[in-house]
Amino acid sequence: MAEIQVSVQDGESKAFPQGTTVAEALKELVSGKQRKQTVAVRSDGRLLDLSTPLVLDTVFEPVSLQSETGVEILRHSTAHLMALAVKELFGDKVKVAIGPAIEDGFYYDFDRDKAFSPDDFEQIEAKMTELANARLPFARQEVSREEAIRFFTEQGEVYKLELLNDMAVDSVSLYTHGTFVDLCRGPHVPDSSWVKVFKLLRVAGSYWRGDEKRPMLTRIYGTAFADKKELKQYLDRLEEARKRDHRRLGKQLGLFTIQDQIGPGLILWQPRGAQLRRLLEDYWKDEHYKNGYQLLYTPHIARQDLWKTSGHLDFYGENMYSAMEIDEVMYQLKPMNCPFHIGVYKADKHSYREFPIRWCELGTVYRYERTGALHGLMRVRGFTQDDAHIFCRPDQLEEEIFNIIDLNLHILQTFGFDQYEVYLSTRPEKYVGSDEHWQLSTQALKQALEKKELQYQVDPGEGVFYGPKIDIKIKDQLGRSWQCSTIQVDFNLPERFQMSYTCVDGAEHQPIMIHRALMGSLERFIGVLIEHYAGAFPLWLAPEQARIMNITDDQAEYCQQVYAKLRNLGLRVENDLRNEKLNYKIREAQLMKVPYMLIIGEREKEEGTITVRRRDGENLPAMTPEAFVELVIDACRRRIV
Ligand SMILES: [Zn+2]
Ligand SMILES: [Zn+2]
């Protein structure tokens, strides 16, 4: 038999008979411990199962179970194991769709007349453990497309058939694992005993191929890890994220509500949420005023022709809502504020002396998002951007970008975000504007980032067609990243709207336009803030800063006086004068994460004081209401609790 040369990258090399499997070669080439951890190998950029027979000279790199790719293979194999368990338990009544590994785990989509629920997990997990212990190998088989079609037709697996029909290939690979045969590219772990640490997590409805018109399947999510400790850490992290989930806290704290009768993705701000939002808006406006911005307000709809001129209808039309007719003219809801700010610009003639012009608006826009993509406050259909447009001369561009980044970081740091991921996206293949303009503005963005000493990553070709941009993601308390800020240079809109200014030489020039949003949208940013603070907002943001509680009815009148006094001095304070036990009132205020509880009994009433208790349980010495106001004002100024 012919011999082939098999080598490990940067390691041993040896001749083997043709047809030797990867596993057999590994035995000779790689030492015990590393071999035990090797779940697959990478050769020529492709991943191979350990059972793959080698027919040509091969150089491979072992993939360890602990590596990112290794864990991905493990998770994908666990999806097969789950499908096998489901098929064995529920038989022909279940059809299988797809089961990939995803970030942090895997899923499999099933079609069953009765949808799966978490109540089924125990039974499925027990079956999976039993099948894992049976050491069932994953066996790969190459078959012709026709043969695969025949096989899945016999099995009645309509989803696999549809996938096969869409594949423009002559042959496909099938993997047999126990009694379950799946259409799959692989690779997998050698056998099911590798799947030791796994957990099923949740179910969700999922349309076949993400299409609302196709059948609704049940998606079972799960995860798997190479070792137990990692699973535990992961589950702890999930639990912490669940506790902080802004949808849950939003309800508990009475911040916002989303209702079917109103429509998906449309936010109703409840009084406490509205208060929080007002505080955020006031802060935002003040900071912008200090930094030389002027505030604008613009309408929610405009003639359709405006969106033709701006190019939104051509480039962004699928995200816009249908037009409406008013006096025989078509109008459309705004997906962006930019053309309105240009309208304000065009109301007057401009000279180079006025530049830079910095206009900001908390502008509410409407964009079509698929129902499946909607998520609490994070992804909605109507939202308010903290938008601004800056019009300037080319020589001012770099300084303006620097100023924006400076203000951006200042605002983010106010909320305790001090870790960022910064991306600079450069010219894509299709673009408008001159090469000179692109170079100038890309350089300006770079210079500003470097002057600010920000680490950044270049995304070549990822800029928008009208100009380069900077995106900033923030990291929250749990280390999760959130895209918030974006800064974009635009050569397109000034051209489309024929904007101009008079230059020093008396000639008309086209201004440079910068679009930027720092928080992104108020909805999203508040969603991030709720999770970041776990609902316990610092004093300056707390919708309710303090709650007054009496011990008995005898102090009710004094409580009312204190309440009126504190409200008058600008504190956000509420009364709890119900005939309930003090402990009960305290617990309730703690659940609402109110920073201060002001407890009033007979002694306080007589001495004209209040006893102050912080939400963490610490008691401050009794003080006068006036002293408490000072304490609050000072903490708010320093933006601490
Ligand atoms: Zn597979
Ligand atoms: Zn804009």
Side-chain angles (χ1 to χ4, degrees):
M1 200 189 265
E3 289 213 322
I4 52 167
Q5 196 67 29
V6 182
S7 345
V8 177
Q9 205 174 330
D10 309 321
E12 306 262 328
S13 177
K14 217 178 150 180
F16 291 93
Q18 204 175 35
T20 301
T21 65
V22 174
E24 285 160 352
L26 271 173
K27 244 183 234 172
E28 311 264 330
L29 296 170
V30 173
S31 72
K33 197 176 165 211
Q34 193 191 4
R35 196 176 70 231
K36 264 195 194 147
Q37 292 301 326
T38 302
V39 66
V41 296
R42 190 181 275 112
S43 171
D44 254 348
R46 279 177 55 219
L47 290 165
L48 304 178
D49 292 299
L50 296 192
S51 59
T52 311
L54 300 169
V55 288
L56 299 169
D57 290 353
T58 310
V59 181
F60 63 63
E61 179 197 338
V63 173
S64 152
L65 184 65
Q66 265 80 15
S67 68
E68 208 174 302
T69 309
V71 171
E72 207 174 295
I73 293 170
L74 173 71
R75 287 173 177 163
H76 170 69
S77 305
T78 314
H80 278 258
L81 179 66
M82 176 171 76
L84 168 63
V86 165
K87 288 294 263 185
E88 295 226 330
L89 287 168
F90 306 99
D92 305 339
K93 292 200 182 68
V94 180
K95 297 200 190 330
V96 291
I98 51 166
I102 51 171
E103 199 187 343
D104 289 342
F106 63 86
Y107 68 77
Y108 216 115
D109 284 348
F110 299 105
D111 184 354
R112 182 188 180 214
D113 43 359
K114 180 174 174 278
F116 287 105
S117 84
D119 295 339
D120 299 311
F121 287 178
E122 209 183 306
Q123 193 187 6
I124 299 172
E125 282 174 340
K127 190 75 185 169
M128 286 169 73
T129 305
E130 179 194 317
L131 295 163
N133 292 338
R135 288 182 168 267
L136 303 169
F138 281 85
R140 183 191 173 98
Q141 190 190 355
E142 294 272 343
V143 299
S144 69
R145 194 164 146 260
E146 287 68 38
E147 203 174 319
I149 290 177
R150 240 184 343 261
F151 174 78
F152 286 113
T153 307
E154 262 167 44
Q155 300 279 315
E157 293 289 5
V158 289
Y159 300 104
K160 297 291 176 196
L161 279 172
E162 191 178 324
L163 295 174
L164 272 167
N165 281 325
D166 288 353
M167 287 179 178
V169 290
D170 297 329
S171 70
V172 295
S173 57
L174 301 182
Y175 277 85
T176 303
H177 178 233
T179 54
F180 179 55
V181 181
D182 205 349
L183 172 70
C184 188
R185 266 195 314 254
H188 301 94
V189 295
D191 67 64
S192 54
S193 70
W194 287 65
V195 183
K196 290 192 174 76
V197 183
F198 64 89
K199 182 143 186 65
L200 303 188
L201 298 171
R202 61 197 165 94
V203 298
S206 147
Y207 291 108
W208 170 236
R209 300 196 136 178
D211 181 347
E212 281 114 282
K213 293 178 195 84
R214 307 298 308 273
M216 168 73 92
L217 311 174
T218 313
R219 176 168 296 179
I220 302 184
Y221 287 95
T223 193
F225 285 90
D227 83 66
K228 260 200 178 121
K229 219 168 58 206
E230 286 170 68
L231 175 67
K232 179 160 186 318
Q233 281 168 353
Y234 176 72
L235 293 177
D236 289 349
R237 232 175 32 242
L238 271 191
E239 176 56 17
E240 187 54 37
R242 193 191 64 81
K243 275 195 221 148
R244 287 171 181 255
D245 190 318
H246 73 282
R247 292 167 299 178
R248 193 171 156 271
L249 283 170
K251 193 169 179 182
Q252 181 188 323
L253 302 176
L255 300 175
F256 68 92
T257 163
I258 302 169
Q259 296 173 359
D260 259 1
Q261 197 181 22
I262 308 289
L266 300 170
I267 307 298
L268 298 176
W269 293 98
Q270 293 167 286
R272 301 171 75 91
Q275 179 66 270
L276 171 66
R277 179 171 163 159
R278 189 198 73 152
L279 293 161
L280 211 61
E281 290 184 359
D282 287 351
Y283 165 72
W284 185 91
K285 286 176 190 166
D286 290 348
E287 287 302 321
H288 280 72
Y289 186 76
K290 282 188 221 162
N291 281 275
Y293 285 76
Q294 293 164 300
L295 194 63
L296 299 184
Y297 290 98
T298 65
H300 289 215
I301 59 170
R303 297 173 87 130
Q304 196 172 48
D305 282 347
L306 179 81
W307 306 113
K308 282 186 191 152
T309 305
S310 69
H312 283 97
L313 224 45
D314 280 341
F315 293 101
Y316 206 70
E318 60 194 34
N319 300 88
M320 293 174 69
Y321 292 102
S322 318
M324 61 190 111
E325 200 185 301
I326 302 171
D327 294 341
E328 288 166 36
V329 177
M330 300 311 281
Y331 282 73
Q332 241 170 315
L333 269 171
K334 65 172 167 182
M336 294 188 194
N337 305 301
C338 334
F340 294 92
H341 291 197
I342 292 172
V344 177
Y345 183 95
K346 295 196 79 163
D348 296 296
K349 281 194 74 66
H350 296 279
S351 125
Y352 70 96
R353 284 196 196 96
E354 298 164 55
F355 280 177
I357 292 174
R358 306 184 187 108
W359 285 337
C360 64
E361 179 183 11
L362 293 169
T364 304
V365 298
Y366 297 88
R367 296 180 189 174
Y368 174 64
E369 294 277 359
R370 280 168 168 266
T371 320
L374 297 173
H375 180 83
L377 292 175
M378 303 300 192
R379 217 167 238 235
V380 293
R381 286 183 170 165
F383 57 94
T384 302
Q385 285 184 299
D386 70 318
D387 210 355
H389 295 97
I390 287 130
F391 303 100
C392 67
R393 305 188 305 255
D395 62 292
Q396 295 171 320
L397 185 60
E398 189 186 317
E399 195 183 337
E400 280 313 296
I401 304 280
F402 181 83
N403 289 340
I404 295 169
I405 297 175
D406 203 42
L407 174 61
N408 198 355
L409 297 192
H410 169 69
I411 287 182
L412 294 177
Q413 279 156 6
T414 304
F415 301 94
F417 299 116
D418 46 19
Q419 276 182 291
Y420 320 104
E421 285 169 21
V422 184
Y423 301 88
L424 170 66
S425 304
T426 59
R427 195 177 70 196
E429 260 171 50
K430 276 192 193 166
Y431 63 95
V432 298
S434 68
D435 289 354
E436 188 197 336
H437 264 147
W438 273 89
Q439 212 183 353
L440 171 87
S441 48
T442 309
Q443 199 53 29
L445 292 174
K446 260 191 196 156
Q447 292 285 347
L449 285 172
E450 272 153 28
K451 216 161 121 194
K452 199 70 206 158
E453 292 180 3
L454 274 177
Q455 298 265 354
Y456 64 95
Q457 202 178 308
V458 179
D459 275 347
E462 288 300 307
V464 205
F465 72 92
Y466 53 73
K469 62 167 182 169
I470 292 173
D471 288 316
I472 301 181
K473 288 185 183 177
I474 51 176
K475 278 209 166 158
D476 72 5
Q477 282 284 314
L478 299 187
R480 299 171 301 180
S481 296
W482 300 97
Q483 163 75 52
C484 288
S485 321
T486 180
I487 305 166
Q488 307 184 351
V489 183
D490 185 350
F491 315 120
N492 182 44
L493 285 181
E495 173 76 38
R496 281 177 171 265
F497 283 94
Q498 298 180 341
M499 298 169 72
S500 72
Y501 68 96
T502 314
C503 212
V504 65
D505 57 6
E508 291 296 300
H509 286 258
Q510 195 176 290
I512 293 185
M513 182 174 185
I514 307 170
H515 311 252
R516 46 114 285 197
L518 308 184
M519 296 174 174
S521 83
L522 291 179
E523 284 73 10
R524 189 184 171 76
F525 196 71
I526 290 176
V528 173
L529 285 184
I530 294 171
E531 303 206 356
H532 177 65
Y533 291 124
F537 300 106
L539 205 52
W540 73 279
L541 273 180
E544 179 184 353
Q545 294 171 313
R547 188 175 291 187
I548 300 169
M549 304 168 187
N550 56 341
I551 295 176
T552 70
D553 272 348
D554 293 339
Q555 301 97 40
E557 208 187 305
Y558 175 64
C559 284
Q560 293 286 12
Q561 289 167 14
V562 173
Y563 171 84
K565 190 178 280 176
L566 295 182
R567 279 237 163 186
N568 237 323
L569 291 168
L571 256 55
R572 299 185 290 278
V573 57
E574 300 292 342
N575 254 337
D576 184 354
L577 307 180
R578 291 172 303 166
N579 190 12
E580 297 282 357
K581 285 228 164 61
L582 183 64
N583 275 343
Y584 179 82
K585 293 187 191 180
I586 289 178
R587 219 171 21 250
E588 217 164 73
Q590 274 168 337
L591 271 179
M592 294 302 277
K593 318 221 176 206
V594 181
Y596 287 107
M597 284 152 258
L598 311 180
I599 296 158
I600 293 174
E602 237 1 68
R603 209 180 72 206
E604 284 83 3
K605 181 178 139 189
E606 272 160 29
E607 292 173 357
T609 59
I610 51 181
T611 287
V612 181
R613 184 187 162 95
R614 289 161 50 108
R615 67 182 152 201
D616 60 12
E618 190 194 333
N619 283 313
L620 306 184
M623 59 182 87
T624 61
E626 289 78 6
F628 178 67
V629 171
E630 256 172 54
L631 180 150
V632 171
I633 289 174
D634 179 60
C636 286
R637 200 175 42 233
R638 294 187 289 136
R639 303 199 191 286
I640 54 175
V641 179

